[in-house]
Short mmCIF file of all heavy atoms in Angstrom, two decimals:
data_model
loop_
_atom_site.label_atom_id
_atom_site.label_comp_id
_atom_site.label_asym_id
_atom_site.label_seq_id
_atom_site.Cartn_x
_atom_site.Cartn_y
_atom_site.Cartn_z
N GLY U 107 6.91 0.44 -5.70
CA GLY U 107 7.58 0.45 -6.99
C GLY U 107 7.74 1.82 -7.59
O GLY U 107 8.08 1.96 -8.75
N VAL U 108 7.52 2.87 -6.81
CA VAL U 108 7.70 4.26 -7.25
C VAL U 108 8.44 5.01 -6.16
O VAL U 108 8.46 4.57 -5.00
CB VAL U 108 6.32 4.95 -7.51
CG1 VAL U 108 5.54 4.24 -8.57
CG2 VAL U 108 5.50 5.04 -6.21
N PRO U 109 9.01 6.18 -6.51
CA PRO U 109 9.11 6.76 -7.86
C PRO U 109 10.33 6.29 -8.61
O PRO U 109 10.42 6.45 -9.81
CB PRO U 109 9.19 8.26 -7.56
CG PRO U 109 9.92 8.32 -6.26
CD PRO U 109 9.46 7.12 -5.48
N VAL U 110 11.32 5.71 -7.87
CA VAL U 110 12.51 5.16 -8.57
C VAL U 110 12.06 3.92 -9.31
O VAL U 110 11.53 2.98 -8.68
CB VAL U 110 13.63 4.84 -7.56
CG1 VAL U 110 14.83 4.26 -8.29
CG2 VAL U 110 14.03 6.09 -6.79
N PRO U 111 12.25 3.83 -10.60
CA PRO U 111 11.74 2.71 -11.38
C PRO U 111 12.33 1.37 -10.92
O PRO U 111 13.54 1.26 -10.68
CB PRO U 111 12.17 3.02 -12.82
CG PRO U 111 12.41 4.49 -12.83
CD PRO U 111 12.92 4.84 -11.47
N HIS U 112 11.49 0.37 -10.79
CA HIS U 112 11.92 -1.01 -10.61
C HIS U 112 11.88 -1.68 -11.98
O HIS U 112 10.80 -2.01 -12.47
CB HIS U 112 11.02 -1.72 -9.59
CG HIS U 112 11.24 -1.29 -8.19
ND1 HIS U 112 10.55 -1.80 -7.11
CD2 HIS U 112 12.11 -0.37 -7.67
CE1 HIS U 112 10.97 -1.22 -6.00
NE2 HIS U 112 11.91 -0.36 -6.32
N THR U 113 13.02 -1.86 -12.56
CA THR U 113 13.09 -2.28 -13.96
C THR U 113 13.31 -3.78 -14.14
O THR U 113 13.01 -4.32 -15.21
CB THR U 113 14.21 -1.53 -14.69
OG1 THR U 113 15.45 -1.74 -13.99
CG2 THR U 113 13.93 -0.03 -14.73
N THR U 114 13.82 -4.48 -13.13
CA THR U 114 14.07 -5.90 -13.27
C THR U 114 12.88 -6.70 -12.75
O THR U 114 12.10 -6.23 -11.91
CB THR U 114 15.33 -6.32 -12.48
OG1 THR U 114 15.05 -6.20 -11.06
CG2 THR U 114 16.50 -5.43 -12.85
N LEU U 115 12.76 -7.91 -13.26
CA LEU U 115 11.66 -8.78 -12.82
C LEU U 115 11.79 -9.09 -11.33
O LEU U 115 10.77 -9.23 -10.63
CB LEU U 115 11.68 -10.08 -13.63
CG LEU U 115 11.31 -9.93 -15.11
CD1 LEU U 115 11.42 -11.29 -15.82
CD2 LEU U 115 9.90 -9.37 -15.26
N ALA U 116 13.02 -9.20 -10.84
CA ALA U 116 13.21 -9.50 -9.41
C ALA U 116 12.68 -8.35 -8.55
O ALA U 116 12.00 -8.57 -7.54
CB ALA U 116 14.69 -9.74 -9.13
N GLN U 117 13.00 -7.11 -8.96
CA GLN U 117 12.51 -5.94 -8.23
C GLN U 117 11.02 -5.86 -8.26
O GLN U 117 10.35 -5.63 -7.23
CB GLN U 117 13.12 -4.67 -8.80
CG GLN U 117 14.60 -4.49 -8.53
CD GLN U 117 15.14 -3.26 -9.24
OE1 GLN U 117 14.72 -2.92 -10.35
NE2 GLN U 117 16.10 -2.58 -8.62
N GLN U 118 10.43 -6.04 -9.45
CA GLN U 118 8.97 -5.97 -9.60
C GLN U 118 8.29 -7.09 -8.86
O GLN U 118 7.17 -6.93 -8.35
CB GLN U 118 8.63 -5.98 -11.07
CG GLN U 118 9.10 -4.74 -11.83
CD GLN U 118 8.95 -4.87 -13.33
OE1 GLN U 118 8.45 -5.87 -13.84
NE2 GLN U 118 9.40 -3.85 -14.08
N GLY U 119 8.95 -8.23 -8.75
CA GLY U 119 8.38 -9.36 -8.04
C GLY U 119 8.37 -9.19 -6.55
O GLY U 119 7.56 -9.81 -5.83
N ASN U 120 9.27 -8.34 -6.02
CA ASN U 120 9.32 -8.12 -4.58
C ASN U 120 8.22 -7.18 -4.10
O ASN U 120 7.81 -7.24 -2.93
CB ASN U 120 10.68 -7.51 -4.19
CG ASN U 120 11.82 -8.51 -4.27
OD1 ASN U 120 11.60 -9.71 -4.13
ND2 ASN U 120 13.03 -8.03 -4.49
N ASP U 121 7.73 -6.33 -4.97
CA ASP U 121 6.73 -5.34 -4.58
C ASP U 121 5.41 -5.96 -4.11
O ASP U 121 4.86 -5.51 -3.09
CB ASP U 121 6.48 -4.34 -5.72
CG ASP U 121 7.68 -3.42 -5.95
OD1 ASP U 121 8.41 -3.16 -4.98
OD2 ASP U 121 7.86 -2.98 -7.10
N PRO U 122 4.85 -6.96 -4.79
CA PRO U 122 3.60 -7.56 -4.31
C PRO U 122 3.73 -8.16 -2.91
O PRO U 122 2.84 -7.98 -2.07
CB PRO U 122 3.30 -8.64 -5.35
CG PRO U 122 3.95 -8.14 -6.59
CD PRO U 122 5.21 -7.51 -6.12
N ALA U 123 4.85 -8.86 -2.64
CA ALA U 123 5.04 -9.44 -1.32
C ALA U 123 5.16 -8.34 -0.26
O ALA U 123 4.63 -8.47 0.85
CB ALA U 123 6.27 -10.34 -1.31
N ALA U 124 5.86 -7.25 -0.59
CA ALA U 124 5.99 -6.14 0.33
C ALA U 124 4.64 -5.52 0.62
O ALA U 124 4.33 -5.14 1.76
CB ALA U 124 6.94 -5.10 -0.23
N ALA U 125 3.78 -5.41 -0.40
CA ALA U 125 2.46 -4.83 -0.22
C ALA U 125 1.59 -5.70 0.70
O ALA U 125 0.90 -5.19 1.58
CB ALA U 125 1.77 -4.63 -1.57
N VAL U 126 1.66 -7.01 0.49
CA VAL U 126 0.83 -7.93 1.31
C VAL U 126 1.35 -7.91 2.77
O VAL U 126 0.56 -7.90 3.72
CB VAL U 126 0.85 -9.34 0.73
CG1 VAL U 126 0.20 -10.32 1.70
CG2 VAL U 126 0.12 -9.36 -0.61
N ARG U 127 2.66 -7.93 2.95
CA ARG U 127 3.19 -7.87 4.30
C ARG U 127 2.80 -6.57 5.00
O ARG U 127 2.49 -6.54 6.18
CB ARG U 127 4.73 -8.00 4.28
CG ARG U 127 5.20 -9.40 3.89
CD ARG U 127 6.69 -9.60 4.17
NE ARG U 127 7.07 -10.95 3.81
CZ ARG U 127 7.65 -11.27 2.66
NH1 ARG U 127 7.91 -10.32 1.77
NH2 ARG U 127 7.95 -12.53 2.37
N CYS U 128 2.78 -5.48 4.22
CA CYS U 128 2.36 -4.21 4.77
C CYS U 128 0.89 -4.27 5.18
O CYS U 128 0.53 -3.80 6.28
CB CYS U 128 2.57 -3.11 3.73
SG CYS U 128 2.10 -1.45 4.28
N ALA U 129 0.05 -4.86 4.35
CA ALA U 129 -1.39 -4.96 4.69
C ALA U 129 -1.59 -5.82 5.93
O ALA U 129 -2.42 -5.47 6.80
CB ALA U 129 -2.14 -5.57 3.51
N LEU U 130 -0.86 -6.92 6.04
CA LEU U 130 -0.98 -7.74 7.24
C LEU U 130 -0.53 -6.99 8.48
O LEU U 130 -1.15 -7.10 9.55
CB LEU U 130 -0.15 -9.02 7.08
CG LEU U 130 -0.66 -10.04 6.06
CD1 LEU U 130 0.38 -11.12 5.76
CD2 LEU U 130 -1.97 -10.68 6.54
N ALA U 131 0.53 -6.20 8.37
CA ALA U 131 0.99 -5.40 9.50
C ALA U 131 -0.01 -4.32 9.85
O ALA U 131 -0.21 -4.01 11.04
CB ALA U 131 2.35 -4.78 9.15
N MET U 132 -0.67 -3.73 8.85
CA MET U 132 -1.72 -2.77 9.13
C MET U 132 -2.87 -3.42 9.90
O MET U 132 -3.43 -2.79 10.82
CB MET U 132 -2.23 -2.16 7.83
CG MET U 132 -1.19 -1.30 7.09
SD MET U 132 -1.69 -0.83 5.42
CE MET U 132 -2.81 0.54 5.77
N GLY U 133 -3.20 -4.63 9.57
CA GLY U 133 -4.23 -5.34 10.28
C GLY U 133 -3.84 -5.58 11.74
O GLY U 133 -4.66 -5.39 12.65
N ARG U 134 -2.61 -5.99 11.95
CA ARG U 134 -2.14 -6.22 13.34
C ARG U 134 -2.17 -4.92 14.14
O ARG U 134 -2.55 -4.91 15.33
CB ARG U 134 -0.74 -6.81 13.34
CG ARG U 134 -0.66 -8.24 12.79
CD ARG U 134 0.69 -8.88 13.04
NE ARG U 134 1.76 -8.20 12.32
CZ ARG U 134 2.16 -8.56 11.10
NH1 ARG U 134 1.56 -9.56 10.47
NH2 ARG U 134 3.16 -7.92 10.52
N ARG U 135 -1.80 -3.84 13.50
CA ARG U 135 -1.81 -2.54 14.18
C ARG U 135 -3.24 -2.12 14.49
O ARG U 135 -3.52 -1.52 15.55
CB ARG U 135 -1.15 -1.48 13.29
CG ARG U 135 -0.97 -0.13 13.98
CD ARG U 135 0.14 -0.18 15.00
NE ARG U 135 0.32 1.12 15.63
CZ ARG U 135 -0.26 1.46 16.80
NH1 ARG U 135 -1.05 0.59 17.43
NH2 ARG U 135 -0.03 2.64 17.32
N LEU U 136 -4.18 -2.44 13.60
CA LEU U 136 -5.57 -2.08 13.80
C LEU U 136 -6.15 -2.82 15.01
O LEU U 136 -6.98 -2.27 15.73
CB LEU U 136 -6.37 -2.40 12.55
CG LEU U 136 -7.85 -1.99 12.56
CD1 LEU U 136 -7.98 -0.49 12.74
CD2 LEU U 136 -8.53 -2.41 11.28
N VAL U 137 -5.74 -4.05 15.23
CA VAL U 137 -6.22 -4.81 16.39
C VAL U 137 -5.83 -4.10 17.68
O VAL U 137 -6.63 -3.94 18.61
CB VAL U 137 -5.65 -6.25 16.37
CG1 VAL U 137 -5.94 -6.96 17.69
CG2 VAL U 137 -6.25 -7.04 15.20
N VAL U 138 -4.58 -3.63 17.75
CA VAL U 138 -4.10 -2.92 18.93
C VAL U 138 -4.88 -1.62 19.12
O VAL U 138 -5.32 -1.28 20.22
CB VAL U 138 -2.59 -2.63 18.82
CG1 VAL U 138 -2.11 -1.78 20.01
CG2 VAL U 138 -1.81 -3.93 18.75
N LEU U 139 -5.08 -0.87 18.01
CA LEU U 139 -5.83 0.36 18.09
C LEU U 139 -7.25 0.12 18.55
O LEU U 139 -7.79 0.88 19.40
CB LEU U 139 -5.85 1.05 16.72
CG LEU U 139 -4.55 1.68 16.22
CD1 LEU U 139 -4.73 2.19 14.80
CD2 LEU U 139 -4.11 2.82 17.12
N SER U 140 -7.89 -0.93 18.02
CA SER U 140 -9.28 -1.21 18.36
C SER U 140 -9.42 -1.53 19.85
O SER U 140 -10.38 -1.12 20.50
CB SER U 140 -9.80 -2.36 17.51
OG SER U 140 -9.91 -1.97 16.15
N ASP U 141 -8.45 -2.28 20.39
CA ASP U 141 -8.48 -2.59 21.83
C ASP U 141 -8.40 -1.29 22.66
O ASP U 141 -9.12 -1.13 23.65
CB ASP U 141 -7.34 -3.53 22.20
CG ASP U 141 -7.53 -4.94 21.66
OD1 ASP U 141 -8.69 -5.27 21.31
OD2 ASP U 141 -6.55 -5.69 21.61
N ASP U 142 -7.50 -0.40 22.25
CA ASP U 142 -7.36 0.86 22.97
C ASP U 142 -8.60 1.71 22.86
O ASP U 142 -9.04 2.35 23.83
CB ASP U 142 -6.15 1.66 22.41
CG ASP U 142 -4.82 0.99 22.71
OD1 ASP U 142 -4.77 0.14 23.63
OD2 ASP U 142 -3.82 1.31 22.04
N TRP U 143 -9.21 1.73 21.65
CA TRP U 143 -10.42 2.52 21.45
C TRP U 143 -11.56 2.02 22.31
O TRP U 143 -12.31 2.80 22.92
CB TRP U 143 -10.83 2.49 19.98
CG TRP U 143 -9.93 3.25 19.08
CD1 TRP U 143 -9.17 4.34 19.39
CD2 TRP U 143 -9.69 2.98 17.68
NE1 TRP U 143 -8.45 4.75 18.29
CE2 TRP U 143 -8.75 3.96 17.23
CE3 TRP U 143 -10.16 2.02 16.78
CZ2 TRP U 143 -8.28 3.97 15.92
CZ3 TRP U 143 -9.69 2.05 15.48
CH2 TRP U 143 -8.76 3.03 15.05
N GLN U 144 -11.72 0.68 22.38
CA GLN U 144 -12.83 0.13 23.15
C GLN U 144 -12.66 0.45 24.63
O GLN U 144 -13.63 0.72 25.33
CB GLN U 144 -12.89 -1.37 22.92
CG GLN U 144 -13.44 -1.74 21.53
CD GLN U 144 -13.51 -3.23 21.31
OE1 GLN U 144 -12.61 -3.98 21.67
NE2 GLN U 144 -14.59 -3.67 20.68
N LYS U 145 -11.42 0.43 25.13
CA LYS U 145 -11.17 0.76 26.53
C LYS U 145 -11.52 2.23 26.82
O LYS U 145 -11.89 2.57 27.94
CB LYS U 145 -9.72 0.48 26.87
CG LYS U 145 -9.34 -0.99 26.88
CD LYS U 145 -7.85 -1.18 27.11
CE LYS U 145 -7.47 -2.65 27.03
NZ LYS U 145 -6.01 -2.89 27.17
N ALA U 146 -11.37 3.06 25.77
CA ALA U 146 -11.66 4.48 25.94
C ALA U 146 -13.10 4.82 25.59
O ALA U 146 -13.49 5.99 25.56
CB ALA U 146 -10.71 5.31 25.06
N GLY U 147 -13.92 3.80 25.31
CA GLY U 147 -15.31 4.01 24.97
C GLY U 147 -15.53 4.45 23.54
O GLY U 147 -16.61 4.94 23.21
N LEU U 148 -14.54 4.28 22.70
CA LEU U 148 -14.65 4.63 21.29
C LEU U 148 -14.91 3.37 20.45
O LEU U 148 -14.59 2.26 20.89
CB LEU U 148 -13.35 5.30 20.80
CG LEU U 148 -13.02 6.64 21.45
CD1 LEU U 148 -11.63 7.10 21.03
CD2 LEU U 148 -14.06 7.69 21.07
N PRO U 149 -15.49 3.53 19.28
CA PRO U 149 -15.82 2.36 18.47
C PRO U 149 -14.58 1.68 17.88
O PRO U 149 -13.62 2.35 17.51
CB PRO U 149 -16.71 2.92 17.38
CG PRO U 149 -16.30 4.37 17.26
CD PRO U 149 -15.93 4.77 18.66
N ALA U 150 -14.62 0.37 17.79
CA ALA U 150 -13.61 -0.40 17.07
C ALA U 150 -14.06 -0.53 15.62
O ALA U 150 -15.25 -0.52 15.33
CB ALA U 150 -13.44 -1.78 17.70
N VAL U 151 -13.11 -0.62 14.72
CA VAL U 151 -13.45 -0.70 13.30
C VAL U 151 -12.66 -1.84 12.66
O VAL U 151 -11.74 -2.40 13.27
CB VAL U 151 -13.15 0.62 12.54
CG1 VAL U 151 -14.03 1.73 13.04
CG2 VAL U 151 -11.69 0.99 12.68
N SER U 152 -13.01 -2.15 11.44
CA SER U 152 -12.27 -3.13 10.65
C SER U 152 -11.96 -2.53 9.28
O SER U 152 -12.54 -1.51 8.89
CB SER U 152 -13.03 -4.44 10.53
OG SER U 152 -14.33 -4.22 9.99
N MET U 153 -11.11 -3.19 8.53
CA MET U 153 -10.55 -2.62 7.32
C MET U 153 -10.67 -3.59 6.14
O MET U 153 -10.61 -4.80 6.33
CB MET U 153 -9.07 -2.30 7.57
CG MET U 153 -8.29 -1.72 6.39
SD MET U 153 -6.50 -1.81 6.67
CE MET U 153 -6.36 -0.95 8.22
N ARG U 154 -10.85 -3.03 4.95
CA ARG U 154 -10.77 -3.80 3.72
C ARG U 154 -9.59 -3.28 2.90
O ARG U 154 -9.38 -2.07 2.83
CB ARG U 154 -12.06 -3.70 2.92
CG ARG U 154 -13.25 -4.42 3.55
CD ARG U 154 -14.47 -4.35 2.61
NE ARG U 154 -14.92 -2.97 2.47
CZ ARG U 154 -15.87 -2.40 3.18
NH1 ARG U 154 -16.50 -3.10 4.09
NH2 ARG U 154 -16.22 -1.15 2.97
N VAL U 155 -8.85 -4.20 2.28
CA VAL U 155 -7.67 -3.85 1.49
C VAL U 155 -7.77 -4.49 0.12
O VAL U 155 -8.13 -5.66 0.00
CB VAL U 155 -6.37 -4.32 2.19
CG1 VAL U 155 -5.16 -3.97 1.32
CG2 VAL U 155 -6.25 -3.69 3.57
N GLY U 156 -7.47 -3.71 -0.92
CA GLY U 156 -7.36 -4.23 -2.29
C GLY U 156 -5.96 -4.00 -2.79
O GLY U 156 -5.40 -2.90 -2.62
N ILE U 157 -5.34 -5.02 -3.41
CA ILE U 157 -3.96 -4.91 -3.91
C ILE U 157 -3.92 -5.43 -5.34
O ILE U 157 -4.43 -6.51 -5.63
CB ILE U 157 -2.98 -5.70 -3.04
CG1 ILE U 157 -3.01 -5.20 -1.59
CG2 ILE U 157 -1.55 -5.63 -3.59
CD1 ILE U 157 -2.15 -6.02 -0.62
N TYR U 158 -3.29 -4.66 -6.23
CA TYR U 158 -3.22 -5.05 -7.63
C TYR U 158 -1.90 -4.58 -8.23
O TYR U 158 -1.44 -3.46 -7.93
CB TYR U 158 -4.39 -4.50 -8.43
CG TYR U 158 -4.58 -5.16 -9.77
CD1 TYR U 158 -5.24 -6.39 -9.86
CD2 TYR U 158 -4.09 -4.59 -10.93
CE1 TYR U 158 -5.42 -7.02 -11.07
CE2 TYR U 158 -4.26 -5.21 -12.18
CZ TYR U 158 -4.93 -6.43 -12.22
OH TYR U 158 -5.09 -7.06 -13.43
N THR U 159 -1.33 -5.41 -9.08
CA THR U 159 -0.06 -5.11 -9.73
C THR U 159 -0.28 -4.91 -11.23
O THR U 159 -0.95 -5.70 -11.87
CB THR U 159 0.94 -6.27 -9.52
OG1 THR U 159 1.10 -6.50 -8.12
CG2 THR U 159 2.30 -5.95 -10.14
N GLY U 160 0.31 -3.84 -11.76
CA GLY U 160 0.15 -3.57 -13.19
C GLY U 160 0.89 -2.33 -13.60
O GLY U 160 1.57 -1.66 -12.80
N GLU U 161 0.74 -1.98 -14.85
CA GLU U 161 1.45 -0.83 -15.42
C GLU U 161 0.64 0.46 -15.19
O GLU U 161 -0.58 0.45 -15.36
CB GLU U 161 1.67 -1.04 -16.92
CG GLU U 161 2.66 -0.09 -17.54
CD GLU U 161 2.97 -0.43 -18.99
OE1 GLU U 161 2.06 -0.29 -19.84
OE2 GLU U 161 4.10 -0.86 -19.26
N VAL U 162 1.34 1.52 -14.84
CA VAL U 162 0.69 2.81 -14.66
C VAL U 162 1.52 3.89 -15.36
O VAL U 162 2.70 3.68 -15.66
CB VAL U 162 0.54 3.20 -13.16
CG1 VAL U 162 -0.29 2.18 -12.41
CG2 VAL U 162 1.91 3.36 -12.51
N ALA U 163 0.89 5.02 -15.59
CA ALA U 163 1.60 6.22 -16.02
C ALA U 163 1.87 7.05 -14.78
O ALA U 163 0.96 7.31 -14.01
CB ALA U 163 0.78 6.99 -17.03
#
Side-chain angles (χ1 to χ4, degrees):
V108 299
V110 179
H112 286 180
T113 56
T114 68
L115 292 177
Q117 289 175 325
Q118 294 171 2
N120 287 334
D121 290 331
V126 172
R127 290 193 179 98
C128 181
L130 290 169
M132 293 171 79
R134 292 191 295 268
R135 186 75 180 94
L136 185 60
V137 170
V138 175
L139 288 174
S140 292
D141 289 343
D142 292 342
W143 289 332
Q144 287 180 318
K145 292 175 183 176
L148 296 171
V151 296
S152 56
M153 178 195 305
R154 290 185 295 265
V155 178
I157 301 175
Y158 196 80
T159 304
E161 194 173 68
V162 300

